[in-house]
Amino acid sequence: MVRLGVLASGRGSNFQAIIDEIEAGKLPAKIEILIVDNPNAYAIERAKKYKIPYLYINPKEYSTKDAFYEKIRDELLSRRVELVILAGFMRIVRKPLLDAFPNRIMNIHPALLPSFPGLHGQRQAVDYGVRISGCTVHFVDEGVDTGPIIIQAAVPVYPDDTEDTLAERILRLEHKIFPEAIRLFAEGRLKVEGRKVKILDYKNPDICFTNPEIGK
Ligand code: GAR
C-alpha cells in the first residue's frame, strides 16, 4: 500500500481515474491528501465525494515560489506521503518539493515527450501536423516535462482533429496509464537508472502501446 499525495489545478479526471482503480481494489494505494492551487478546482468535489482530505494552498499568500513549495512539502511530509502525483497540476515544481521527493513525483503529460512539452501539448501536436501523438507518465525533475519516462501510449491524429477532439482521445489513455504507472511504483517495480526507468519483471504489454481504435 503506497501513500499518495495528489496535486491538481482543475477538473481532476485523472485524479478520478486513480480513485476508481483504488475503489475497485486494483491499485494498492491510499490518497492521503489532495492539494489544489485553485479554490474552484472541480477535483475538490471529487475529494469530498470520497471523503479524501483536501487542502487549498493559495500561491499568492507566499512571498516566493520556493516558500509555496515548502508549504506543500511540509503538508505532504506530515501525512507521510510516499509518492506525489501531479494530476493536471499546472505549475513547474521547484527545488524544495523535488529535494524532498527524489524520483517520487509523477506527472502526466498529454503528448509523447520529448515532443511538445509545456502547456497545451495537444494543441502543439495539432498545429505541428503530426500523425501520432499520445501521453506520457514520467518522474519529475527540475526541467519542464524532462524527467525519466515511465509509460507512454500513442493515438492517431486525424486531419480533421481539433485540440479538443485530440485531447479527448488522449485523455482516455491518460486514465489507463497513470494508474498503471502508480501500480508499478506500488509494487516496487520501477528502478530509475540515469534518465531511464527500468521496469522489473516486465510482462504487461500495456506499458507501451498504441490503440488505433480509440476515438473511432
Ligand atoms: C490532462 O490532460 C493532463 O495531461 C494535462 O492537463 C489535463 C488535466 O486533466 N496536464 C498538463 O498539461 C501538465 N502540463 P484532469 O484535470 O481532468 O486530470
Side-chain angles (χ1 to χ4, degrees):
M1 176 82 79
V2 63
R3 300 168 70 90
L4 304 179
V6 177
L7 273 53
S9 299
R11 178 178 57 182
S13 72
N14 278 288
F15 176 46
Q16 183 70 53
I18 294 161
I19 294 171
D20 290 347
E21 288 287 293
I22 294 172
E23 293 278 312
K26 293 185 198 157
L27 179 57
K30 180 156 182 274
I31 303 172
E32 298 295 330
I33 183 87
L34 166 75
I35 297 177
V36 296
D37 61 350
N38 162 17
N40 301 314
Y42 187 72
I44 294 173
E45 304 309 315
R46 303 183 195 270
K48 282 184 188 163
K49 185 170 170 197
Y50 293 90
K51 300 194 166 39
I52 295 167
Y54 66 92
L55 197 59
Y56 162 51
I57 303 182
N58 183 353
K60 294 201 184 97
E61 283 176 15
Y62 297 85
S63 54
T64 64
K65 285 181 182 161
D66 278 0
F68 170 67
Y69 284 104
E70 281 162 13
K71 168 70 175 165
I72 293 177
R73 174 197 65 198
D74 293 348
E75 293 293 344
L76 294 170
L77 289 176
S78 74
R79 290 169 175 85
R80 294 187 291 120
V81 163
E82 296 164 295
L83 179 66
V84 182
I85 300 298
L86 306 187
F89 184 66
M90 298 307 193
R91 286 175 189 276
I92 295 161
V93 172
R94 291 175 65 100
K95 208 168 165 19
L97 189 55
L98 289 167
D99 286 353
F101 294 93
N103 291 327
R104 296 281 185 280
I105 307 174
M106 272 187 199
N107 181 45
I108 182 111
H109 182 74
L112 290 177
L113 293 172
S115 292
F116 313 130
L119 291 176
H120 308 298
Q122 307 96 329
R123 188 191 305 169
Q124 292 184 58
V126 167
D127 288 350
Y128 198 94
V130 293
R131 299 295 189 210
I132 294 176
S133 191
C135 45
T136 304
V137 182
H138 65 95
F139 285 119
V140 176
D141 66 8
E142 56 290 334
V144 178
D145 300 323
T146 53
I149 289 170
I150 303 164
I151 305 186
Q152 294 188 300
V155 301
V157 182
Y158 299 113
D160 55 355
D161 265 327
T162 63
E163 177 182 5
D164 287 347
T165 59
L166 179 61
E168 153 71 21
R169 191 175 306 124
I170 291 172
L171 194 64
R172 289 163 63 183
L173 289 186
E174 292 186 34
H175 296 164
K176 289 184 197 297
I177 69 172
F178 213 177
E180 179 66 20
I182 299 167
R183 186 161 30 243
L184 290 169
F185 183 95
E187 292 170 358
R189 291 171 57 201
L190 298 179
K191 192 162 172 239
V192 181
E193 295 178 346
R195 70 149 298 110
K196 290 194 182 174
V197 179
K198 194 167 165 188
I199 298 172
L200 307 174
D201 300 321
Y202 165 69
K203 289 184 196 77
N204 184 353
D206 279 358
I207 285 160
C208 47
F209 70 108
T210 62
N211 189 343
E213 267 136 49
I214 294 273
K216 275 293 181 190

